[in-house]
Amino acid sequence: MSSSFRNFFFVLALLCSCQTEEQDQKAETPPNIILIFCDDLGYGDLGVYGSTKHRTPNIDQMAAEGLRLTDFYVTSSVCTPSRSSLMTGCYPRRVNMHQNARPPAGTEGWMVLFPVAQRGLHPDEISLAEVLKQKEYKTACIGKWHMGDQPQFLPTRQGFDSYFGIPYSNDMGTEQFPINPPLPLMRNESVIEAPAEQSTLTKRYTEEAIRFIQENQAHPFFLYLPHTFPHDPLFASEDFLGKSQNGVYGDAVEELDWSTGEIMKCLKKLGIDENTLVIFSSDNGASSRFGGSNLPLSDWKGGLGEGGFRVPCILRWPGHIPAGETSSMLFTSMDLMPSLAFLAGAELPRDRIIDGMNLGPHLRNPHIRMAGRETFFYYRVEQLQAIRHGQWKLYLARDDWRKIMWNSDRGSSSYRLYDLSADIAEENNLADQHPEIVAQIASLAERIQSDIGDTDKDGANQRPAGHEPEPKPLVMNRKSE
């Protein structure tokens, strides 16, 4: 055979191969997505992450059948700002969800939103649910929202077809502030129970989740399941109360494991397991006071240490994400929005900055080390206080941070540098040994401070939060206009 004929058949085979690959890609159905987001679950609270107190066989099995991330970060060590990043793919300061606004009086500048607050996620922000809506996803939010409790800030105004859950943390009832209404349980934009019966919340969330999956199994769907627990006050249903080795905290964690198992059983029973990506994570680290663990990390919820910002994250998608893999690549909650958009074939908004990166190819092949995601900025309220770059974490020389919660860490007048690849507990300060690394990482601060701001300094590319000048409490029988 002549060389010209060989070349002809080679080109023909290549074209056929490309056409077949393109047809396969077009034929691939966008995956169902279930995002399970716990409240204050610590890095060391799951068996697969080293817990010896909690029995979590379903979540451990999920990790055995999927990908476990060891360096997954949320953008805040408390809930409201952390959740705003999950929904928008942005640092909280970029969308101005990094602190509370009045009322109640005296809470302005605190880390999270309180009931009847004037602030909420701006209706013009494009949420993860709205991105997936491009591909005709059915969407539901079941659980704790905590990005504004006024009607224009609720999940039903942010791309979710339906909502069932509590609008903020479960400790924010009348006992916290007299201005607070009884803790409301909502369906869509109406309060259906107040105060919410918390001992059955995990069970009811699970029932609602399974019902949503069953009703939408014929469509691509996005289920956002932000659990109420193990946030304090702690509750568990009768089937789990008193059954763990770690008090009611362990009871709540083990019921969350049961819930995850029930959802996985449902997917298998319906025959949609292999077309459903399930993600399990937490909004921030465990609190120091209620029985949780962030080991082997240092620090707690609300703090700057790894235990506040680094959380468990497991992703399972049979046939698409390899089973039994572990990745130490730096991955953030902001990266989920662009990564899930990529996997669903949806487009990100092009009229605004998105801080997250598309790490979808890494999820399909964890051995791919993607360039670009090397740096992470630790903000606490309005102030940049630390930077991770590669294996190094630098605490900036900042001593002007206002103490807002219960943390003893008010900042430092000197730099602290830790090699997280060898010192995950942040015990050995290497700043004096590596002044060149300190200078290199510190030089990254000016760019992000100019971009999204810092103490007494607005950023050039911040976007406003939503604002309601006359907020009203959520009470029974009150419906949105």
Side-chain angles (χ1 to χ4, degrees):
M1 182 184 294
S2 69
S3 59
S4 60
F5 274 102
R6 284 196 298 269
N7 290 338
F8 169 77
F9 284 115
F10 173 77
V11 172
L12 181 62
L14 182 61
L15 288 172
C16 291
S17 174
C18 292
Q19 184 178 19
T20 301
E21 183 178 352
E22 182 179 353
Q23 290 172 344
D24 289 344
Q25 289 176 347
K26 288 181 179 179
E28 186 175 353
T29 304
N32 306 313
I33 299 170
I34 300 175
L35 176 51
I36 304 171
F37 212 52
C38 298
D39 196 349
D40 292 4
L41 182 77
Y43 192 86
D45 277 335
L46 304 174
V48 72
Y49 280 86
S51 176
T52 58
K53 291 184 177 181
H54 303 148
R55 294 168 296 184
T56 56
N58 295 300
I59 299 169
D60 297 348
Q61 182 65 27
M62 182 180 165
E65 297 173 354
L67 173 65
R68 182 173 70 92
L69 305 181
T70 63
D71 292 50
F72 181 79
Y73 287 84
V74 291
T75 58
S76 175
S77 56
V78 292
C79 45
T80 293
S82 170
R83 290 159 192 260
S84 72
S85 295
L86 188 71
M87 280 296 109
T88 65
C90 297
Y91 281 104
R93 274 217 60 145
R94 188 174 302 285
V95 294
N96 267 284
M97 290 291 286
H98 57 286
Q99 62 187 27
N100 190 47
R102 287 180 181 272
T107 64
E108 61 275 10
W110 283 32
M111 288 179 164
V112 300
L113 295 183
F114 289 84
V116 207
Q118 294 177 334
R119 180 168 291 183
L121 188 63
H122 200 290
D124 289 343
E125 287 296 334
I126 298 176
S127 73
L128 172 57
E130 290 171 307
V131 167
L132 295 175
K133 277 286 189 181
Q134 297 172 32
K135 305 302 289 186
E136 300 183 352
Y137 273 69
K138 304 295 183 181
T139 58
C141 175
I142 300 172
K144 169 185 163 179
W145 178 242
H146 213 170
M147 284 176 277
D149 65 350
Q150 298 306 291
Q152 66 268 39
F153 306 141
L154 291 173
T156 45
R157 309 289 181 96
Q158 297 285 355
F160 289 97
D161 299 327
S162 62
Y163 173 51
F164 178 82
I166 60 174
Y168 33 71
S169 294
N170 67 325
D171 62 341
M172 293 182 171
T174 53
E175 301 84 358
Q176 184 189 52
F177 293 113
I179 193 175
N180 292 359
L183 182 69
L185 177 67
M186 305 186 70
R187 185 174 295 283
N188 297 324
E189 298 182 5
S190 299
V191 177
I192 61 172
E193 183 178 296
E197 173 51 62
Q198 296 199 49
S199 63
T200 58
L201 278 181
T202 299
K203 181 179 180 181
R204 285 189 281 175
Y205 290 168
T206 306
E207 291 170 349
E208 289 281 334
I210 289 174
R211 186 178 301 113
F212 171 78
I213 294 169
Q214 291 171 336
E215 291 176 353
N216 294 281
Q217 59 182 293
H219 311 274
F221 63 78
F222 171 45
L223 169 60
Y224 175 44
L225 180 55
H227 278 291
T228 296
F229 302 113
H231 193 284
D232 178 73
L234 291 155
F235 290 87
S237 68
E238 185 177 350
D239 290 340
F240 293 88
L241 192 62
K243 303 295 175 63
S244 78
Q245 299 178 24
N246 192 26
V248 68
Y249 186 96
D251 301 341
V253 171
E254 293 188 3
E255 187 163 16
L256 293 173
D257 179 78
W258 163 84
S259 172
T260 304
E262 291 300 295
I263 290 171
M264 304 301 285
K265 289 178 187 176
C266 175
L267 297 175
K268 293 175 182 176
K269 182 178 179 180
L270 296 176
I272 58 174
D273 186 47
E274 293 187 359
N275 195 42
T276 304
L277 168 59
V278 182
I279 306 168
F280 185 96
S281 191
S282 178
D283 65 345
N284 48 250
S287 172
S288 63
R289 300 177 289 177
F290 308 115
S293 171
N294 296 320
L295 292 175
L297 308 176
S298 66
D299 213 352
W300 302 92
K301 170 184 177 178
L304 281 172
E306 293 294 283
F309 282 78
R310 197 192 298 202
V311 296
C313 187
I314 299 166
L315 304 99
R316 178 187 181 275
W317 185 13
H320 301 269
I321 291 178
E325 293 279 358
T326 300
S327 170
S328 61
M329 183 173 171
L330 199 164
F331 205 123
T332 80
S333 57
M334 298 179 292
D335 301 324
L336 286 177
M337 180 171 167
S339 300
L340 295 177
F342 166 78
L343 295 175
E347 295 287 334
L348 290 177
R350 298 182 180 181
D351 62 344
R352 64 198 64 200
I353 295 173
I354 302 294
D355 295 306
M357 285 184 56
N358 172 20
L359 299 181
H362 178 74
L363 298 179
R364 289 183 178 274
N365 183 356
H367 301 287
I368 297 175
R369 305 298 292 186
M370 300 186 67
R373 174 52 79 208
E374 297 178 321
T375 307
F376 176 72
F377 299 99
Y378 302 71
Y379 269 82
R380 191 157 53 172
V381 196
E382 80 278 9
Q383 188 178 89
L384 175 66
Q385 292 200 311
I387 302 171
R388 176 171 175 177
H389 186 67
Q391 72 197 63
W392 299 99
K393 180 177 179 180
L394 178 70
Y395 288 80
L396 301 177
R398 312 282 309 259
D399 57 5
D400 58 343
W401 183 73
R402 296 172 292 113
K403 184 176 181 182
I404 292 177
M405 290 184 71
W406 52 84
N407 297 288
S408 59
D409 182 359
R410 299 190 185 200
S412 174
S413 58
S414 60
Y415 289 109
R416 289 176 287 149
L417 179 70
Y418 300 96
D419 180 357
L420 295 179
S421 67
D423 181 21
I424 195 173
E426 302 174 272
E427 295 177 333
N428 302 306
N429 181 5
L430 303 177
D432 291 341
Q433 290 95 309
H434 299 284
E436 75 288 352
I437 295 176
V438 169
Q440 177 193 3
I441 299 177
S443 69
L444 301 174
E446 183 177 354
R447 175 177 60 84
I448 193 70
Q449 289 167 327
S450 298
D451 185 18
I452 64 174
D454 206 304
T455 304
D456 301 322
K457 176 183 180 180
D458 290 334
N461 296 301
Q462 284 182 270
R463 302 195 290 270
H467 180 73
E468 170 52 62
E470 297 181 0
K472 298 178 177 63
L474 289 168
V475 295
M476 289 282 287
N477 300 321
R478 174 177 177 254
K479 296 184 179 180
S480 64
E481 297 180 354

